[in-house]
Amino acid sequence: MGKKRKGKRGKKGRKGPPGDQGDTGPKGEKGRRGRKGIPGPPGPPGPPGLGPSITLEGNSTYLSWSINYPEATPKPDGRPNKFVPGAPSPNIQIVPGPDGRITSTPEPVAAFPDSVTKPSSFHRVEGLGPPATEKTQAEKDEMADLLSKLQILSEKLKEVETPRGSKDFPAVSCKDLKRMHPNLTDGYYWLDPNGGADGDKFKAYCNLSGGGYTCVDPKKEIALKKWSMDKHWFSKSQSTEQFSYEANKVQLRFLKLRSSKAIQRFTFKCVNTIAYYDRTKKNYNKALEFLAQNGKTLRSTHPSYKVTKDLCRQNSSKVRKTTFQFETGKLALLPIIDFAVKDVRDAQKFGLQIGEVCFL
């Protein structure tokens, strides 16, 4: 008997009718919150509120007012309204006074009396009637004068807070003056670094265009002539005081506290006197020495000791000049208070122009 063969697959049949609805499936997970919608248009204006209204009555002599409270109507849910009826407010009797001022105190009135029909009470206020009109212009003038004085006082207070270096309102330093008033120009200004007693303020040159240097002038210079030098320091040889400056020691100390560096220059005038370099012996043994404010001797080897021009090395019978400059961050060194001439001999003259000491 032979093996049976599988026939060809037939064509796809027609779609059958829909079946019965199945059971409800399980609840799905909660979705994400949607975006916020666009705001709607503004609503119409609400009805008038229930607040009290005020009625004023009277003339130039009597003035009265009354406060009209809303009725104590219940709310839609039956709860009572919080408003309660109040009494008419007191009348005020205006009595002309001689000086136009109020001299009496109104009598107190209960805010919510038991009876709303209680007669109004009167308050007597003196000095508010028509006769006070004569004082009105005078009072306006007095007020205008007071406002003018207040304006002046305001400007003075501003000067105290941001002084401009005047004698009445000195600044603490030129650097501080430049910071508060950057448009000021170079020149002399009044300073008071310690902010203490008024008697020790001083005038100093402010190099504002150069950064705000405070430059304090010396009180003298040494004239060019023949001087005897029997002692080391010039002041001791001449039995005179050391160099002094327009600012006293206390003010200089406070000025240094506000500064980071100092500069001072000197011009030595000479006739047959070596100031710095000895051209004959080719050394600096006869260079001038200077006494710092802290008592330290500044010689030619000191790092702050510089010479910018030396014409006294020529040892001439003509007047020559040598310029010294001290620049340092060690503020205790400056200002210089004395000097010593090492080349002492006959037929010589010298003098010293003491320069201003500048702090920044």
Side-chain angles (χ1 to χ4, degrees), residues 6-14:
K6 187 176 180 181
K8 295 182 180 180
R9 185 172 183 173
K11 295 181 180 179
K12 186 175 180 180
R14 295 180 180 179

Side-chain angles (χ1 to χ4, degrees), residues 28-34:
E29 297 181 359
K30 187 177 180 180
R32 295 181 181 180
R33 186 173 182 178

Side-chain angles (χ1 to χ4, degrees), residues 43 45 67 72 109 128 142 149 152 186 195 211 216 223 227 243 251-252 254 277 283 286 314 331 334:
I67 303 177
V109 178
L128 295 179
E142 183 178 355
K149 290 179 179 178
I152 294 174
D186 296 350
V216 183
W227 296 95
F243 305 161
Q251 292 283 33
L252 285 172
F254 275 87
Y277 180 70
N283 59 38
K286 294 183 178 181
Q314 298 178 11
L331 305 182
L334 299 182

Side-chain angles (χ1 to χ4, degrees), residues 105-128:
T105 304
E107 299 174 1
V109 178
F112 299 102
D114 296 333
S115 174
V116 296
T117 59
K118 182 177 180 181
S120 300
S121 59
F122 287 88
H123 286 181
R124 181 183 177 88
V125 182
E126 298 182 4
L128 295 179

Side-chain angles (χ1 to χ4, degrees), residues 268-271 311-312 314-316 318-322:
F268 184 77
K269 300 175 183 179
C270 59
V271 175
L311 299 182
C312 291
Q314 298 178 11
N315 202 11
S316 170
K318 296 181 179 179
V319 178
R320 305 288 183 179
K321 294 180 181 180
T322 295

Side-chain angles (χ1 to χ4, degrees), residues 228-338:
S228 61
M229 291 290 293
D230 56 343
K231 294 182 175 62
H232 186 74
W233 296 112
F234 179 82
S235 62
K236 292 184 178 292
S237 296
Q238 311 306 321
S239 299
T240 186
E241 295 181 355
Q242 294 177 327
F243 305 161
S244 58
Y245 297 82
E246 292 298 331
N248 61 32
K249 292 181 179 180
V250 175
Q251 292 283 33
L252 285 172
R253 187 182 307 125
F254 275 87
L255 185 57
K256 292 176 184 180
L257 292 174
R258 301 175 184 275
S259 307
S260 58
K261 69 176 181 178
I263 301 175
Q264 189 172 15
R265 297 182 179 89
F266 295 85
T267 300
F268 184 77
K269 300 175 183 179
C270 59
V271 175
N272 292 321
T273 305
I274 295 172
Y276 181 59
Y277 180 70
D278 186 346
R279 191 169 58 177
T280 302
K281 296 184 178 181
K282 299 182 180 180
N283 59 38
Y284 299 91
N285 295 340
K286 294 183 178 181
L288 267 63
E289 295 179 358
F290 294 86
L291 183 62
Q293 190 180 41
N294 64 353
K296 185 178 182 62
T297 299
L298 302 182
R299 299 182 175 89
S300 60
T301 54
H302 193 274
S304 66
Y305 189 120
K306 296 180 181 178
V307 174
T308 58
K309 181 174 66 175
D310 184 21
L311 299 182
C312 291
R313 66 169 61 195
Q314 298 178 11
N315 202 11
S316 170
S317 58
K318 296 181 179 179
V319 178
R320 305 288 183 179
K321 294 180 181 180
T322 295
T323 304
F324 298 85
Q325 176 174 302
F326 296 88
E327 183 171 356
T328 180
K330 297 179 179 180
L331 305 182
L333 297 176
L334 299 182
I336 298 296
I337 58 174
D338 213 336

Side-chain angles (χ1 to χ4, degrees), residues 28-57:
E29 297 181 359
K30 187 177 180 180
R32 295 181 181 180
R33 186 173 182 178
R35 295 181 180 178
K36 187 176 180 181
I38 301 174
L50 296 178
S53 62
I54 300 176
T55 302
L56 297 176
E57 295 180 355

